Structure formats: C-alpha cells, structure tokens
Amino acid sequence: MNAVQWHEALLIAYFAGSLFVFATLSLVAKAAYGRHKGDKTAWWWGPGVPTRASWIFMEAPSALGFAVIYFMGERALAPVPLILLAMWQAHYFQRSFIYPFMRRVKPGDTTPLLIPALAFATNLGVSFLNAAILSWNGIGQAYELSWLADPRFLAGAALFAAGWHINRKADAMLAALRKPGETGYRIPRGWLYERVSCPNYLGEFLVWAGWALAIWSAAGAVFLLWTLANLLPRALENHRWYRRTFADYPAQRRAVIPGLL
C-alpha cells in the first residue's frame, strides 16, 4: 500500500479501535496504573516497569515520532503547518519530557508493562495520522495562510489554548498535593476541582477537540474519539474511586464535565 492507503486504513482502524477500547476499559478491565494498580484486573497488564521511564517511553512517539514524520513531508516548512506543529508540540513535548519529572513517584513505583507498550505503538500511529495531514502531499488539505483567519482554526486554537491551560494547572495542583517523600492520596480542593474530579482530563478533551477543529480533518476527529475512548472511562473510574475512598468526598462534584457527567 502507498502512504495514502496506509493513512486511510489507519483512520478506519483507529475509529473501530476506539469503540473496542471504550467498551473494554468500561466493562472488562480498567487500565491498572496509578490508584488502580491493586484492582483485581491488574494481572491482565503484565509485570511492572519503572513508572517514570515507562511514561517517557510511551509518550515520546507523540513528540519525537510526530516531528520526524512531519519533517518527512513536502509541506513541512510552510507557515501554517509549522504553527500547527508548534501547537501539537506545546502539549506533547511537555507531556513526554517535563510532566514525568513533575510527578511525585515513590521509589520503586512501577507501571504494568503492557500499558506503555500499547501506548507506544498507538501513539506512533496517531502521530502518523496527524503529522501526515499537515505536511505530506496527497494527504489532507494544503493549509494556506488564509486558514489562519478561518473561523474553524480560530475557534479550534482558542479551545486548544483553554484546554492546555486547564490541563497544565490541574496537573500542577495534583502534583502539589504530595510533599516530597509522601505517598497516598488526598482530596483535591479549589478551582475546577470543586466542580469535577478530573479537570486534567477535561483539559485534555478540550485540547483535542480544539485540535480537531483547527486542522479540520478526519485524523483530528478520530484522534479526539480515541482520546475520549481511553480517558473517559478512566475519569469515571477515578470519580467512583474518590467516592468509595473518602467518606467526605464532595457530593456535588461530577467526574469530568461540570454539572453533567
């Protein structure tokens, strides 16, 4: 198959895979990392590997792999694709190489091997879908300078920026709950944590909804669906975990969407 055919096949595979992943994580086996490592389904995910290293390993394809694929394209130096590249890297470079060192990880903490292994492969595929749209001839649209004034780009960029801010602030507040050397969990307080249990996931949903608008392509839409399939079950389970674990957990909080879900 040529590149266009590979791209179309991967789009279909990720669309179908999103439905499978959502059903699996919702009904069969939640991803056994973080607070859910002790869950009865944890054995599905294999032996543990160091948590910080596993995070870098599984997220790096989204930053480095995306950049390599992007710069293989004929339109890589065009101004609008470069702006969109910068948006993507604003999220994923931080996620891959800064966020892992912000997390307070206790010595010896591990993540089941299958989680970073699957994430590495799927993140590489997602990077191909989205990077090729931006810079490869024959895949996607040619983004002219006029695209920067298009309402779809403007709305998408604004949504992306809002989600990026929410995601970063929520992660920083979670990291600040533990002092150096502390373990265990506390109830997050303040800001959006008074409305939802997982504003970090809400921010990520907004980031990729904004991205899908800003690039206006099936690749962006499928990636948004893929993100929801992976993180929405996680957000709902985190919310249930908080309510089971803390008797005084605020009853008015929703899981991820204020007032709704």
Side-chain angles (χ1 to χ4, degrees), residues 97-113:
F97 304 114
I98 298 174
Y99 173 73
F101 298 98
M102 293 172 53
R103 302 178 70 193
R104 299 200 187 278
V105 178
K106 62 184 179 182
D109 193 40
T110 62
T111 296
L113 176 61

Side-chain angles (χ1 to χ4, degrees), residues 27 57 73 76-77 95 146 183 186 200 223 225 239 241 244 258:
L27 303 173
F57 174 79
L77 298 182
R95 204 72 179 159
S146 59
T183 58
R186 298 179 182 177
N200 50 337
F223 183 40
L225 182 63
H239 182 64
W241 181 91
R244 289 194 307 267

Side-chain angles (χ1 to χ4, degrees), residues 24-249:
T24 300
L25 294 180
S26 297
L27 303 173
V28 181
K30 52 183 170 283
Y33 62 91
R35 73 197 70 202
H36 305 299
K37 281 196 298 186
D39 182 73
K40 63 185 179 181
T41 62
W43 65 272
W44 287 49
W45 302 96
V49 293
T51 291
R52 204 183 308 277
S54 72
W55 189 275
I56 296 170
F57 174 79
M58 69 183 181
E59 295 289 359
S62 298
L64 301 181
F66 187 98
V68 169
I69 295 165
Y70 173 87
F71 283 109
M72 291 170 61
E74 298 84 354
R75 306 192 302 267
L77 298 182
V80 176
L82 282 172
I83 290 170
L84 292 165
L85 168 68
M87 288 172 58
W88 180 280
Q89 294 294 348
H91 178 82
Y92 268 122
F93 186 86
Q94 192 273 352
R95 204 72 179 159
S96 302
F97 304 114
I98 298 174
Y99 173 73
F101 298 98
M102 293 172 53
R103 302 178 70 193
R104 299 200 187 278
V105 178
K106 62 184 179 182
D109 193 40
T110 62
T111 296
L113 176 61
L114 188 58
I115 291 172
L118 288 173
F120 181 95
T122 56
N123 284 342
L124 197 58
V126 162
S127 293
F128 170 67
L129 287 177
N130 286 271
I133 281 288
L134 303 185
S135 68
W136 289 32
N137 285 338
I139 298 178
Q141 62 172 301
Y143 294 94
E144 304 295 342
L145 279 174
S146 59
W147 184 246
L148 298 180
D150 191 285
R152 291 165 292 183
F153 173 81
L154 294 173
L159 199 58
F160 185 101
W164 188 92
H165 171 71
I166 291 170
N167 182 256
R168 294 298 174 271
K169 184 170 180 176
D171 280 345
M173 291 177 69
L174 279 183
L177 287 176
R178 290 180 182 170
K179 296 178 182 179
E182 283 188 339
T183 58
Y185 292 91
R186 298 179 182 177
I187 300 175
R189 304 282 186 183
W191 190 56
L192 284 176
Y193 281 106
E194 297 304 319
R195 305 289 305 279
V196 294
S197 297
C198 302
N200 50 337
Y201 292 151
L202 171 61
E204 191 137 356
F205 297 158
L206 293 176
V207 162
W208 300 121
W211 174 261
L213 273 174
I215 70 171
W216 199 252
S217 75
V222 165
F223 183 40
L224 173 60
L225 182 63
W226 180 259
T227 300
L228 290 167
N230 279 274
L231 295 186
L232 185 55
R234 179 79 176 180
L236 295 172
E237 186 55 38
N238 282 358
H239 182 64
R240 288 190 286 264
W241 181 91
Y242 276 122
R243 299 186 70 175
R244 289 194 307 267
T245 304
F246 300 102
D248 59 340
Y249 195 70

